[in-house]
Amino acid sequence: MADIWSQRRATRYGRYDGGPDPLAPPVDLAEALDEIGEDVMAGYSPERALRELLRRGAGDREGLDDLARRVAERRRQLLAEHDLDGTLQEIRELLDTAVLEERKQLARDVAMDDGDRALREMQLDSLPPNPAAAVSELGSYDWQSTQAREAYEQIKDLLGRELLDQRFQGMKQALENATDEDRAAIDAMLSDLNELLEKRERGEDTQQDFEEFMAAHGQHFPEQPETLDELLDAMAARAAAAQRMLASMSPEQRQQLMELSAQAFGSPQLMESLARLDSHLQALRPGEDWSGSEQMGGEGAQGVGLGDGTGVFQDLAELDALSEQLSQSYGGARMDDLDLDALARQLGGDASVSARELQQLERALRDSGTLQRGSDGALRLTPKAMRQLGRSLLRDVAQRMSGRQGQRDMDRAGAAGERSGATRAWAYGDTEPWDVTRTVTNAITRTVGEGGSPATGVRLQVDDVEVQETEARTQAAVALLVDTSFSMAMDGRWVPMKRTALALHTLIRSRFRGDALQLVGFGRHAEVMEIEQLTALDARWEKGTNLHHALLLANRHFRKHPNAQPVLLIVTDGEPTSHLEAGGEVFFSYPPHPLTVAHAVRELDTSMRLGAQTTFFRLGEDPGLARFIEQMARRVDGRVVAPELDDLGAAVVGSYLGGRGGRGTGTGASMGDWFGGRGFWVGD
């Protein structure tokens, strides 16, 4: 009880820290693997398949393309909503206020000399339309109106605060109604900062120099940088944004601001200090974009001041960085590169959550043993992933077969319940007897692998259990011949062909391990393929259907297993158009040459003499192909199946399951004829 109480007291609750959402559904690796497998079988590399999955998103989650589109929309919105003449507009308004108040005062002051009044009115009437020139000309004017003088002084104050706000975010608000002492403190800070940066350029600065600077002027840096490099990064990014904003203005706007800047705070000293600061920042951070520009403004755009405009340009730069991160198109790109904080700032917390889920998905796929990099650096599906993908395809096949037979997904013992001698991992619903020896051995091996000792006891876990297979069966030598000619890819049969091969491979490797499966791809020539090779095979755009060569390889496989029942499965969408010559050269002819047909027929006769149960799977509606295959099947007393592409896997697996139940009669065997030699297997 004491232990339980101590555990309860150790539990702590706190505010959600922004990490993975504890209420979010777990990452569905099986669904993600299915999608990656589909792309791999369509010809994508695993690397590209993973990228495509992340781009489109898994399930109903946002993908990288969705987030990139939102980033682009946010960028267009910022460009359209803001105009860069905000500060100039404020100056015009203050200047108009000053002139208007001065005119009112001149009209009201009856004691003023008429000649002096006329001179002043003429001076106001002749002000240049350029605000910068007007402000400069009024620099020596003796204001008669107190309100006019205050409005004119606000122009200088506004310019100073805006220029500082460009480099130090928040200065515009912090220096509102600033006193002479406040301005002196800013001058001192700029002087000390420039000296510190000059030390850095000479390589003479120390951490103590930085700490002394922050102790004296830290109130101007609310982000509280801990090193000079952190301060440089923040200031250089904002200064570069200010330069891009200036470059984005029209020449007239830029010229007016440059002329007005000299009058900030009533003295050119501020502009000189800021110019020195910009020079140091460019030298220390040359990698920033100091010369870019943007086309801004649109109907209904709102003018922004220099400080706020610089913030907009910082947002644009951050959006550009996010766009590059989301593209994942640069060398060594990883999902961990995504700046989740920046996404939250620009698009909101939901975007950050979506990106975090994509990061978790990529990490889970890599860490779960689904994807791994080979010695050449290329990403590959692991054997574990291939097994998972095969099981998924096999479940789909089983569902299709069950639907056509009115059966449920089940495992059933053979007719006499004989033990085959093979074992397999226990699955939920299995009723076969345990193989005690294998089960205990698995438990001991696992215990030792985890650092334990059998002497201290062994505990069984579900994963340790193996059951004895009891299907009534004989050993089979299976040859699956799949057409890999260009027409298979052109007519959309490439992926169904691969799915079929993987489903059959998974079935044999998991349930009928005593059977020998050989996969043969045949296009212009034929070759024996491992399942990984066939699954990753790119579409081949070469002409030729070399059934002759494929049958040669299949018969060689049958001869290697003389005591097994040969099962020949041929998936094709075309008549044979090539064969091997005596010297090994490939002969090609279209329409099919009689010699090519003769070679294919001869090898098919050899398969029949070896006892092969043959099934042709005809894809497509070509009448000539249908006649040819029916004649071939009739010749060897085989079967012909013309499945829809979605049913190809179920047809091939069903034919394999019933392939040794006695030789078929005729070319129209139904799905129900395919189960004689395999009992009632349906499902995984």
Side-chain angles (χ1 to χ4, degrees):
M1 181 64 71
D3 291 340
I4 296 176
W5 177 247
S6 63
Q7 291 174 8
R8 289 178 177 174
R9 293 188 63 187
T11 303
R12 292 291 184 270
Y13 297 92
R15 177 174 294 182
Y16 175 52
D17 62 0
D21 185 356
L23 301 180
V27 176
D28 191 342
L29 289 182
E31 179 184 347
L33 179 58
D34 286 346
E35 295 189 42
I36 290 176
E38 285 289 324
D39 287 342
V40 168
M41 287 188 285
Y44 289 6
S45 68
E47 187 87 50
R48 182 182 175 190
L50 174 59
R51 288 202 306 269
E52 290 298 320
L53 173 66
L54 296 174
R55 299 201 70 80
R56 63 177 176 261
D60 58 354
R61 291 178 170 87
E62 281 187 303
L64 293 177
D65 283 345
D66 299 314
L67 295 174
R69 183 174 60 253
R70 291 176 61 185
V71 165
E73 290 173 354
R74 170 65 176 159
R75 195 180 195 283
R76 286 193 296 270
Q77 181 184 17
L78 285 177
L79 292 175
E81 288 181 350
H82 298 94
D83 205 339
L84 300 180
D85 65 348
T87 296
L88 290 175
Q89 184 63 33
E90 283 192 72
I91 290 173
R92 292 190 193 99
E93 292 174 358
L94 288 171
L95 184 60
D96 290 343
T97 298
V99 171
L100 179 60
E101 292 298 327
E102 182 68 6
R103 290 184 186 278
K104 291 179 179 179
Q105 180 62 31
L106 293 178
R108 287 195 300 265
D109 192 350
V110 295
M112 179 178 292
D113 179 75
D114 289 341
D116 187 23
R117 179 186 292 106
L119 181 62
R120 290 176 181 277
E121 288 177 345
M122 183 177 64
Q123 190 173 355
L124 295 176
D125 290 339
S126 61
L127 286 175
N130 185 319
V135 170
S136 177
E137 188 168 317
L138 290 171
S140 58
Y141 181 82
D142 182 18
W143 297 94
Q144 299 300 300
S145 168
T146 302
Q147 293 88 343
R149 182 182 297 105
E150 290 175 352
Y152 181 76
E153 292 298 327
Q154 285 180 31
I155 293 176
K156 299 178 181 179
D157 182 68
L158 172 67
L159 284 168
R161 291 189 293 122
E162 288 280 16
L163 289 171
L164 285 169
D165 201 43
Q166 277 193 302
R167 278 77 174 180
F168 308 92
Q169 187 173 7
M171 279 290 192
K172 181 179 180 181
Q173 292 76 22
L175 290 177
E176 193 170 5
N177 301 319
T179 63
D180 290 340
E181 290 78 8
D182 295 329
R183 293 169 183 162
I186 292 295
D187 289 339
M189 182 271 291
L190 289 173
S191 177
D192 290 347
L193 179 57
N194 279 315
E195 289 181 8
L196 180 59
L197 297 186
E198 287 169 1
K199 276 190 173 183
R200 166 55 66 91
E201 288 186 78
R202 297 193 301 268
E204 299 174 357
D205 68 296
T206 64
Q207 180 65 18
Q208 183 178 354
D209 292 333
F210 171 76
E211 292 173 356
E212 290 176 354
F213 172 81
M214 290 299 296
H217 308 292
Q219 71 273 19
H220 300 303
F221 303 93
E223 61 273 14
Q224 291 297 305
E226 296 182 357
T227 64
L228 180 56
D229 284 310
E230 289 185 11
L231 177 62
L232 278 171
D233 290 340
M235 293 195 61
R238 192 161 178 85
Q243 291 295 325
R244 293 194 299 274
M245 179 180 178
L246 192 64
S248 302
M249 294 179 176
S250 67
E252 294 78 13
Q253 289 174 327
R254 190 160 49 247
Q255 180 65 29
Q256 290 182 40
L257 280 174
M258 295 301 293
E259 293 175 2
L260 286 167
S261 297
Q263 304 177 55
F265 287 156
S267 137
Q269 182 177 352
L270 174 64
M271 199 61 195
E272 292 173 0
S273 297
L274 293 178
R276 282 180 62 198
L277 177 61
D278 287 348
S279 176
H280 293 318
L281 291 173
Q282 290 191 44
L284 293 169
R285 291 293 185 271
E288 294 286 345
D289 182 6
W290 295 94
S291 58
S293 62
E294 298 287 350
Q295 185 67 39
M296 300 188 72
E299 186 176 353
Q302 180 180 0
V304 292
L306 296 180
D308 292 339
T310 298
V312 171
F313 273 78
Q314 277 191 292
D315 286 340
L316 291 172
E318 192 167 65
L319 289 168
D320 289 340
L322 286 172
S323 180
E324 182 178 11
Q325 293 165 16
L326 291 168
S327 74
Q328 293 282 288
S329 58
Y330 49 91
R334 295 288 297 267
M335 288 297 299
D336 288 339
D337 298 340
L338 293 184
D339 188 338
L340 301 183
D341 292 336
L343 269 174
R345 283 193 297 270
Q346 298 298 335
L347 303 182
D350 62 321
S352 178
V353 169
S354 296
R356 184 183 293 112
E357 289 176 347
L358 291 175
Q359 287 180 337
Q360 292 171 350
L361 176 60
E362 182 196 44
R363 196 176 300 118
L365 286 169
R366 296 179 187 274
D367 295 346
S368 65
T370 300
L371 299 169
Q372 67 180 15
R373 294 199 178 275
S375 57
D376 58 354
L379 203 63
R380 291 187 175 89
L381 290 175
T382 63
K384 175 183 176 182
M386 293 295 294
R387 290 193 298 271
Q388 291 174 338
L389 184 57
R391 286 195 293 268
S392 176
L393 295 176
L394 197 53
R395 282 193 297 270
D396 180 62
V397 166
Q399 289 171 1
R400 291 183 177 278
M401 293 171 63
S402 299
R404 282 154 177 74
Q405 295 301 308
Q407 298 174 5
R408 295 177 299 169
D409 193 17
M410 70 175 99
D411 290 296
R412 229 181 252 182
E418 301 93 339
R419 297 180 182 178
S420 66
T423 65
R424 58 180 170 81
W426 177 86
Y428 178 76
D430 282 343
T431 58
E432 289 83 356
W434 285 20
D435 187 304
V436 178
T437 302
R438 292 286 301 171
T439 298
V440 174
T441 300
N442 290 340
I444 294 174
T445 303
R446 177 184 49 76
T447 300
V448 173
E450 294 174 352
S453 172
T456 60
V458 175
R459 291 182 177 273
L460 291 181
Q461 293 184 2
V462 172
D463 292 340
D464 299 328
V465 179
E466 291 200 25
V467 296
Q468 297 174 346
E469 289 186 336
T470 59
E471 276 91 356
R473 59 189 174 86
T474 58
Q475 185 184 18
V478 186
L480 175 61
L481 281 49
V482 291
D483 192 340
T484 58
S485 61
F486 83 101
S487 60
M488 289 286 287
M490 181 178 66
D491 295 331
R493 298 160 185 155
W494 198 254
V495 173
M497 174 269 290
K498 290 184 176 183
R499 290 171 60 92
T500 298
L502 183 53
L504 181 62
H505 177 273
T506 302
L507 175 61
I508 292 176
R509 290 293 182 266
S510 62
R511 291 302 181 91
F512 307 107
R513 300 171 191 167
D515 289 356
L517 171 65
Q518 177 173 272
L519 302 173
V520 178
F522 63 99
R524 197 175 186 89
H525 66 280
E527 61 179 311
V528 176
M529 297 181 176
E530 297 296 329
I531 187 61
E532 293 81 8
Q533 180 185 1
L534 178 60
T535 303
L537 186 67
D538 287 336
R540 294 179 171 178
W541 303 97
E542 59 181 7
K543 294 182 178 181
T545 305
N546 200 331
L547 181 59
H548 167 237
H549 192 187
L551 289 169
L552 278 171
L553 296 174
N555 289 335
R556 184 183 305 169
H557 175 62
F558 296 150
R559 291 188 182 99
K560 289 181 180 178
H561 303 85
N563 298 321
Q565 168 65 59
V567 178
L568 178 61
L569 309 172
I570 304 172
V571 179
T572 184
D573 70 345
E575 302 171 72
T577 55
S578 62
H579 67 268
L580 286 185
E581 296 282 5
E585 298 86 2
V586 174
F587 174 87
F588 170 78
S589 174
Y590 184 83
H593 192 280
L595 187 60
T596 299
V597 174
H599 277 74
V601 169
R602 185 182 65 196
E603 285 304 317
L604 189 63
D605 288 344
T606 301
S607 299
M608 182 180 66
R609 287 194 299 271
L610 292 172
Q613 302 295 308
T614 303
T615 305
F616 287 89
F617 300 90
R618 174 173 58 82
L619 304 180
E621 302 298 332
D622 179 50
L625 173 64
R627 287 192 299 271
F628 171 78
I629 287 183
E630 286 174 4
Q631 292 171 3
M632 294 276 279
R634 190 176 299 114
R635 182 182 183 91
V636 296
D637 199 12
R639 297 185 177 98
V640 176
V641 182
E644 298 292 334
L645 284 180
D646 289 345
D647 289 331
L648 178 60
V652 171
V653 169
S655 183
Y656 159 71
L657 291 173
R660 287 164 301 149
R663 188 168 297 171
T665 57
T667 61
S670 68
M671 186 80 75
D673 295 331
W674 298 339
F675 294 91
R678 287 298 184 187
F680 294 93
W681 180 92
V682 181
D684 184 18

